Amino acid sequence: MENHDKAQLQSFLKTLPPVEFCCVYGSSLHPNNPGSAKSTMVDCILGVSNPQQWHSENLTLNNDHYAAWMVLLGGARLITDVADEIGVGVHFNPFVSWDDKMFKYGVVRMHDLVQDILNWERFYLSGRLQKPVHVLLDNLDVTNVNSVNLRAAMSAALLLLPSKFTEEELYAKICSLSYMGDLRMLFAEDRNKVKKIVQGQFELFRSMYKPFIEEYETKELLRRSLSGNTQPIISQDGGLSAAQSLVSSLPPMVRSQMAMKLGEKKVLCDSGRVIQEIVIGSKDEAAKCMQTILQRKVMVSSARQAVSGLLAAGGITAMRYVGAKMSKAWKSWR
């Protein structure tokens, strides 16, 4: 983001109640869609300690950001209940106009954000944070916590990738994890979305995942070799031991669900400790099992959040948002 855009967003944050965490994601980070362009909506995630209290304060400050029916029928409590009980814990206010700019901000409980990062419990915001974001405020060091999420995303992508691939293919696979099973991809998203995200933000992906590529090279799970192309070819170990290592880096909740499907066994590790290890017959078996689990998570979360989002936005705003999404999707299919 350019300095002007950062300053503008920081000024916008001052019109809202205090938050613990704020990051910008989406097309406003794309070099070909500079944040200064009026047509670009700036997407933000705001982490707060108590969403109901935060919305109560924000209703006093910015009543017009919310759907009228939610304000009239239940206020802050209804807003929070719809996000928690129907959605996945995030309330979005889209099409907020301020200083000649459009904003969409999602409000989430900090505890829920951290749990999704560490466990992929809902695999919603954790998926967003596997892609480039610009962090503006981070009082609780979420950026450091998110390194666990990035390592897990890389491990999941490697399980799904063949023995040889390019750096761009690696980032595309990481990017696609949170879209597997997403119902919106059927009718309301650009079919080339993953490709556009990776190609538009390639250097940002590289800076995010470089430490983990180097870590996996040190562990001899990966090997890079130069070719005639600008991008090196990456080779990975497809053996059972390497697959076990990748699986061990997945979030605890995903591993637990894989263990229920594939079984567990007790093994003695190098430290002399006895641990439970998932029984896998091959890398492909582990990949298929994990993919099924992630697709299910994404399908459920995307459906719940779509319903919650439509309710939260209100009739006219919801139609406007869905219309814009479907227009982009239609253009990509033509």
Side-chain angles (χ1 to χ4, degrees), residues 149-271:
N149 182 31
L150 299 184
R151 183 180 289 104
M154 181 151 159
S155 294
L158 289 174
L159 281 171
L160 296 169
L161 282 165
S163 59
K164 292 185 179 181
F165 49 89
T166 64
E167 198 175 349
E168 184 175 319
E169 287 169 337
L170 170 62
Y171 302 147
K173 187 60 70 177
I174 290 170
C175 185
S176 70
L177 293 174
S178 57
Y179 295 124
M180 295 189 303
D182 191 334
L183 299 175
R184 296 171 304 169
M185 297 302 288
L186 299 176
F187 65 92
E189 290 289 2
D190 186 338
R191 65 184 299 194
N192 300 312
K193 184 168 186 171
V194 169
K195 183 179 180 180
K196 288 179 178 178
I197 290 173
V198 173
Q199 291 183 347
Q201 303 178 26
F202 183 84
E203 291 303 324
L204 296 176
F205 271 101
R206 174 174 274 174
S207 65
M208 283 177 74
Y209 286 98
K210 182 181 178 183
F212 304 103
I213 292 176
E214 292 175 347
E215 176 189 327
Y216 281 31
E217 279 185 304
T218 302
K219 292 179 178 178
E220 298 185 348
L221 295 173
L222 293 181
R223 185 174 66 254
R224 283 183 287 184
S225 58
L226 294 175
S227 66
N229 302 322
T230 53
Q231 288 187 50
I233 297 297
I234 303 175
S235 304
Q236 68 167 319
D237 183 348
L240 205 54
S241 176
Q244 285 285 9
S245 181
L246 295 176
V247 169
S248 70
S249 294
L250 298 176
M253 186 169 286
V254 175
R255 293 203 310 271
S256 176
Q257 290 173 304
M258 289 179 69
M260 289 176 65
K261 292 175 178 290
L262 300 177
E264 284 183 306
K265 64 179 178 181
K266 291 181 180 179
V267 295
L268 188 67
C269 62
D270 295 337
S271 63

